[in-house]
Amino acid sequence: MLAKINSCAVSGVDGQPIQVEVDLAQGLPSFSTVGLPEGAVREAKDRVRAAIKNSGYDFPQRRITVNLAPASVKKEGTGYDLPIALGILVAAGMVPCDRLTRTAVVGELGLDGSVRPVPGVLPMALAAREEGFNRFLVPGTNVAEAAIVQGLEVYGIERLDQAVEFLTGRIELTPLVIDPAELFAGQQGYEVDFADVRGQDYVKRAMEIAAAGGHNLLLCGVPGTGKTMMARRLPTIMPDLTLEEAIETTKIFSTAGLLPEKTPLLVTRPFRAPHHTVSDAGLIGGGQIPRPGEVSLAHNGVLFLDELPEFKKHVLEVLRQPLEDGMVTIARASTSLSFPARFTLVGAMNPCPCGFLGDQVRPCTCTPLQVQRYRSRLSGPLLDRIDIHLEVPAVPVKELLGQPSGESSATIRARVNQARALQHKRFAGFPRLYCNAQMNAKEVKRFCRLDQASTDLLHQSITRLGLSARAYHRILKIALTIADLAGSPQPQLSHLAEAIQYRRSQFEL
């Protein structure tokens, strides 16, 4: 007898429907799996056999063939265990097949018949809904994650025998219903706040501009000036996550198996800070079976690279594509996958190897050649893709000992939300654009118009600073963001002058 069970897999960060076909035929007992199965899928036969027996059912002594369709797509992971087991029981006549119509099933089986969680359930649930399924059986641990998808009945399964009893109508299960709006309303927010930062008003102003326009940021200063402290607080002043952005971010963490327990939906912007020893595959993503890297885990959030020149040069150079395109494409001989990577890059560095160049208290011990070699680790094309370059000065002791007097993150975020609202209105007919930093040269020319005085100032600055054409357009983007924060429809002379100073610092690279 032939049985067909609907299931799902993950390709990149998107779900893909998979059909599990199980055939029981006459002949010597055997169990074979076809359809390009990887090692964990081939091993499913041993888990499934033990799970069926330990759940109180007879394992059919027949020739069993399992086909995972489409057969041209490689199958990996343990999520096919439960659909294969149900397929065998349906083919053996132990479970009626009518209740499996328009139903998708996914889950890993333990030898005792328990159903264990699998990664990537959220994108699988989205794929199941798009395919027209109206019911989804998932491991109990993953049920809240899958229930985020509206219009799909999601049931949590704890054991194989529970799934069989449910499908045979002997027990009733209640689908879990979650309102995403309640998750946003009940969010705990961030643990850090910009009110903790003493002084550094100039840097905080630049970070507000970066958050409002989605601009990349480079912080340069001696040790102990608060570069890392402020970078960790940047997500707290970025615009509130929309439901669409929250689902995009959660899909990536779910696929990578990094979704926190009891957190079905990420409602705050991610902050990723990989160590400078990270490999290019760890940063961008990759592996024999491509997985999302740090740039994708920082999607819709902040990627913080501390001690930027200490990263391997070839690792930094692979950042060029995601910084420009907001997407990472990983090509292999057998497949090519794309991962979203629209993030705000924040880099932090010292002015020299010893860190004290320009410090008024501690002298620098580096030679000019050492300083030059240190700064040359960052290539010009990479620096061109970083919009704002900032010098972070040391904080006077008097300000450190005083009471915090800065604005809270909520106050700054309110202004950022207003600026982003203007940008959403501006880019209403451009679905690819979310913020000013994503504009290309043609769109900059269309949306950013300068008067004659501003044009003359910009031309003089470009000539004197020797900036590239890319830097020219980035100055205009920053000026437009400053205008949005000020509520001005177009950049004024003062906005442009402020934007220009963010392209040069005392530690000019």
Side-chain angles (χ1 to χ4, degrees), residues 118-142:
V118 295
V121 166
L122 177 57
M124 292 180 193
L126 291 169
R129 183 184 64 180
E130 293 173 4
E131 194 66 15
F133 300 130
N134 53 31
R135 186 161 52 182
F136 196 21
L137 305 186
V138 302
T141 308
N142 297 125

Side-chain angles (χ1 to χ4, degrees), residues 409-425:
S409 293
T411 302
I412 302 174
R413 187 167 63 249
R415 295 196 296 266
V416 170
N417 281 328
Q418 292 176 358
R420 281 292 178 97
L422 294 176
Q423 294 170 40
H424 290 164
K425 183 178 180 181

Side-chain angles (χ1 to χ4, degrees), residues 1-6 19-20 22 83 85-105 133-135 137 163-164 166-169:
M1 183 177 176
L2 176 67
K4 296 182 179 180
I5 308 295
N6 298 307
Q19 190 170 68
V20 179
V22 181
L86 291 176
I88 291 174
L89 295 176
V90 170
M94 302 180 193
V95 177
C97 59
D98 56 333
R99 296 203 67 178
L100 283 165
T101 304
R102 313 312 301 165
T103 299
V105 183
F133 300 130
N134 53 31
R135 186 161 52 182
L137 305 186
V164 173
F166 171 66
L167 293 173
T168 55

Side-chain angles (χ1 to χ4, degrees), residues 47-60 84-86 88-89 94 109 111 113 160:
R47 293 191 296 270
V48 168
R49 181 183 288 108
I52 290 178
K53 290 182 177 179
N54 292 326
S55 296
Y57 305 104
D58 293 329
F59 189 83
I84 289 175
L86 291 176
I88 291 174
L89 295 176
M94 302 180 193
L109 286 177
L111 298 184
L160 174 60

